[in-house]
Amino acid sequence: MNPSRSILTLVRSLLVLMLFTLILRAADAPSPIQFKDVTKQTGITFVHTDGSSGRRYIVESVASGVATFDYNGDGRIDILFLNGAPLPGAPTGTPPPRNALYRNDGGWKFTDMTLAAGLNAASYQLGVCVGDYNNDGHPDIYLNNFGPNILYRNNGDGTFTDITQAAGVANGDKVGAGASFLDFDGDGQLDLFVANYCDFAFAKHQARSVNGHPAYAGPMIYGPVPSTLFRNNGDGTFTDISRESGIAAHAGTGMGVVCADYDDDGDTDIIVGNDAMANFVWRNDGKGHFEEVGLLSGLAYDSNGVGMGTMGVDCGDYNNDGLLDFHMTSYQKQWAILYRNIGRGLFEDVTHISGGGTGTFSQVTWGAGLVDFNNDGARDLFIACGHLQDNVDLWDDTTSYEARNILLQNTADGKFIDVSARAGDGLAVKRSSRGAAFDDLDNDGDIDVVVLNSRREPTLLRNDSPPENHWIEIRPRGTRSNRDGIGARVKVVAGDLALVGEVHSGRGYQSHYGMYPHFGLGQRKRIDRIEVRWIGGGTNVFDGVELDRVLQISESK
């Protein structure tokens, strides 16, 4: 036996063992992103209902969204939870279920202000968006319902008034979905896009079964319907221009919506996630007319040309190339899809090469956020999970009604890794989640998470990631453009890092969040430049901005 060869073999074995040990330790090490479940300490007692009666109406399976925004102007982000209502055959409670507006009192304590604020409608609520439609400095609320929708005007004193009928935005007896305020023609007035889900009514209800077990039907049984576009007339009223704008030309099964400048031409486009069919991309010509270009853009299907069961839609620049990328959640046995923007209004499905759909194939996925949770300058992915069939375990042991949510860390090289098991007890919670919202709820400079769970209490996750990285949050104020700066494109340059973001109203899964663009800066010590490009024209540039602060930027007149 050759002694030298034996020693060499032993050294190789030791090296392999050391490498394997290092890999195991890395797998067990805490993630740089940490979330703590703080729901019980918040004082929030809201419990969601879907109005279940045992008859399995389709609307039960898709309810509901959640909104985070500062409704009273005190500098703290408040929470609005949407709720269902009793459907035929369901027992009715006293009082009936309603939405719930919680005022943020600081220190992770919240007070229920629903009745005091006048948000007491017991409607069946699905989607929500927030925006200052009358430019008076106070955020207003639009609820996209099963049945007539509601526009609440913020009175500026902590109360709201239902002005739906006067404004003309009830939208009939449709099945709601996502909704967004946007200024599509750059006139400084917020218009309103309302997605509609399917042509369902109680009289059209169809029972379905899987392997002999009762189940919820999908939207194609009832058929797709066009969405609705309302133009703001500037006098407190809106006009339905769905037909003349082109929006009514195509029927869809709208779920999640985000209005964003996908082609970077200076105006706001509309991206609609459709359930069980091709997604829509409504390209804006800047003058009030839209053309559907989903197939041309690459956002209509996945890389195999398959129309997905798209639920939620969010966008953000995950690879820091200055272009908005899109993430869309989907149904079980489909991946949640990450689309990389390759410029010129074109996208490619990079789900598998990036890891942007890791862990999603066996789940139904809903709310999602492209958010930099640890402020390292790279946007991570949070994905809310939970099946819509509450008895799915009777015929499928590969999934579950209640599931853990997924956290994918951006490794800053175009890849994502699943750190859900190492990201704190907040990612150990198992629920059937729907809408999710992402904002800094405790004003400590990192982004927290609110999840609405079907038939259960919500989940509030405090971001406990180590505060080792710097950040900046921008609060735009329009003067010539709309007051909230919705549609504005923000660019932050800090040394070798260049980040972009936009101001959106309504996004994710039937939800609203993140009206104040937040940027993680890593260890960089200074911000060289901030640029804000406003809808309607005009750009402001600011040099030498301080780090770790909330910065209000007003549009130059």
Side-chain angles (χ1 to χ4, degrees):
M1 184 175 185
N2 189 330
S4 299
R5 182 173 295 176
S6 298
I7 293 172
L8 181 60
T9 300
L10 177 61
V11 170
R12 286 175 175 170
S13 298
L14 288 173
L15 288 174
V16 170
L17 179 61
M18 290 174 61
L19 179 61
F20 184 68
T21 302
L22 289 173
I23 292 173
L24 287 178
R25 287 178 178 175
D28 291 335
S31 160
I33 306 170
Q34 293 289 308
F35 284 108
K36 176 71 174 177
D37 179 5
V38 295
T39 311
K40 292 182 179 179
Q41 75 182 55
T42 63
I44 291 174
T45 59
F46 170 81
V47 177
H48 176 262
T49 176
D50 58 11
S52 302
S53 65
R55 299 178 184 177
R56 298 184 183 272
Y57 296 113
I58 187 173
V59 294
E60 300 170 20
S61 64
V62 295
S64 302
V66 59
T68 50
F69 66 110
D70 181 6
Y71 87 94
N72 57 357
D74 65 355
R76 292 189 289 263
I77 298 295
D78 311 296
I79 308 173
L80 175 65
F81 296 104
L82 272 57
N83 216 344
L87 299 174
T92 57
T94 305
R98 293 185 173 91
N99 58 22
L101 175 66
Y102 281 92
R103 184 187 66 206
N104 188 340
D105 298 324
W108 288 97
K109 300 296 181 182
F110 292 80
T111 299
D112 187 342
M113 301 299 294
T114 313
L115 296 180
L119 300 179
N120 55 356
S123 53
Y124 200 105
Q125 301 150 13
L126 293 166
V128 59
C129 63
V130 176
D132 185 2
Y133 81 92
N134 56 358
N135 288 326
D136 66 353
H138 309 296
D140 310 296
I141 301 169
Y142 187 77
L143 300 179
N144 197 3
N145 301 331
F146 171 41
N149 297 342
I150 300 175
L151 176 60
Y152 283 110
R153 184 188 64 213
N154 190 328
N155 300 318
D157 59 0
T159 68
F160 293 81
T161 299
D162 180 347
I163 51 93
T164 311
Q165 296 305 316
V169 291
N171 201 38
D173 291 322
K174 297 182 174 65
V175 180
S180 296
F181 283 109
L182 73 157
D183 182 2
F184 64 73
D185 53 3
D187 67 352
Q189 307 289 336
L190 284 180
D191 311 296
L192 179 61
F193 177 83
V194 182
N196 302 310
Y197 184 40
C198 63
D199 190 20
F200 170 79
F202 292 125
K204 299 180 180 180
H205 173 62
Q206 296 189 39
R208 181 193 175 210
S209 64
V210 177
N211 294 345
H213 303 289
Y216 288 102
M220 286 306 183
I221 286 181
Y222 305 106
V225 291
S227 293
T228 308
L229 182 64
F230 292 102
R231 183 186 64 220
N232 189 331
N233 300 321
D235 59 359
T237 68
F238 291 77
T239 299
D240 184 343
I241 60 165
S242 307
R243 189 172 300 277
E244 53 264 47
S245 67
I247 293 295
H250 296 276
T253 50
M255 293 286 269
V257 174
V258 66
C259 293
D261 186 2
Y262 84 97
D263 53 1
D264 197 18
D265 66 351
D267 54 36
T268 303
D269 312 291
I270 303 171
I271 295 84
V272 182
N274 284 319
D275 188 3
M277 61 176 286
N279 301 313
F280 289 160
V281 176
W282 292 103
R283 183 172 62 195
N284 185 359
D285 70 356
K287 300 175 183 178
H289 189 270
F290 292 82
E291 179 185 5
E292 204 290 295
V293 295
L295 180 61
L296 178 64
S297 71
L299 291 173
Y301 301 105
D302 71 354
S303 59
N304 295 313
V306 175
M308 311 298 282
T310 304
M311 306 294 191
V313 181
D314 197 22
C315 63
D317 182 9
Y318 85 91
N319 56 353
N320 293 342
D321 63 355
L323 302 171
L324 291 181
D325 311 294
F326 285 79
H327 189 265
M328 300 187 186
T329 53
S330 196
Y331 199 68
Q332 180 200 5
K333 297 182 181 178
Q334 298 176 335
W335 305 98
I337 303 295
L338 179 63
Y339 295 96
R340 183 170 72 91
N341 191 330
I342 59 176
R344 304 178 306 282
L346 302 175
F347 294 80
E348 64 175 346
D349 178 350
V350 295
T351 304
H352 300 297
I353 63 173
S354 70
T358 303
T360 63
F361 187 76
S362 64
Q363 306 294 339
V364 179
T365 52
W366 304 84
L370 269 166
V371 179
D372 184 358
F373 290 112
N374 61 336
N375 288 332
D376 66 348
R379 292 180 182 268
D380 312 294
L381 270 168
F382 185 100
I383 303 169
C385 303
H387 216 284
L388 59 84
Q389 305 288 1
D390 56 1
N391 56 348
V392 67
D393 61 298
L394 296 177
W395 67 81
D396 189 345
D397 61 3
T398 67
T399 188
S400 60
Y401 177 64
E402 293 190 330
R404 293 181 175 90
N405 296 322
I406 296 171
L407 178 62
L408 303 181
Q409 178 195 343
N410 190 331
T411 58
D413 59 357
K415 308 289 185 183
F416 291 86
I417 57 173
D418 188 346
V419 296
S420 308
R422 301 185 283 119
D425 67 7
L427 271 296
V429 177
K430 293 183 69 174
R431 297 287 185 268
S432 188
S433 300
R434 296 295 185 267
F438 310 90
D439 263 305
D440 186 358
L441 296 180
D442 51 5
N443 289 339
D444 67 348
D446 54 33
I447 301 298
D448 310 295
V449 182
V450 181
V451 182
L452 184 140
N453 301 311
S454 179
R455 305 179 183 176
R456 292 292 300 265
E457 72 283 355
T459 306
L460 275 75
L461 303 181
R462 185 182 68 208
N463 190 336
D464 283 348
S465 304
E468 59 191 22
N469 292 323
H470 297 293
W471 56 276
I472 187 77
E473 184 172 286
I474 308 300
R475 299 196 175 189
R477 286 291 176 265
T479 53
R480 293 178 298 173
S481 60
N482 69 86
R483 169 81 177 184
D484 290 326
I486 290 172
R489 177 75 63 102
V490 181
K491 181 177 182 180
V492 175
V493 179
D496 62 330
L497 185 66
L499 306 171
V500 298
E502 273 190 359
V503 185
H504 301 130
S505 164
R507 60 199 298 191
Y509 180 71
Q510 301 186 155
S511 295
H512 172 96
Y513 53 87
M515 284 187 74
Y516 307 137
H518 184 99
F519 302 92
L521 302 169
Q523 293 294 301
R524 294 159 186 84
K525 303 299 184 183
R526 56 171 290 175
I527 295 174
D528 299 303
R529 187 173 71 258
I530 295 178
E531 301 175 5
V532 181
R533 186 182 73 192
W534 304 90
I535 288 294
T539 299
N540 291 149
V541 179
F542 303 85
D543 298 318
V545 178
E546 295 180 11
L547 301 164
D548 303 328
R549 59 178 293 203
V550 175
L551 176 65
Q552 181 168 306
I553 293 180
S554 295
E555 181 183 15
S556 298
K557 295 183 179 180

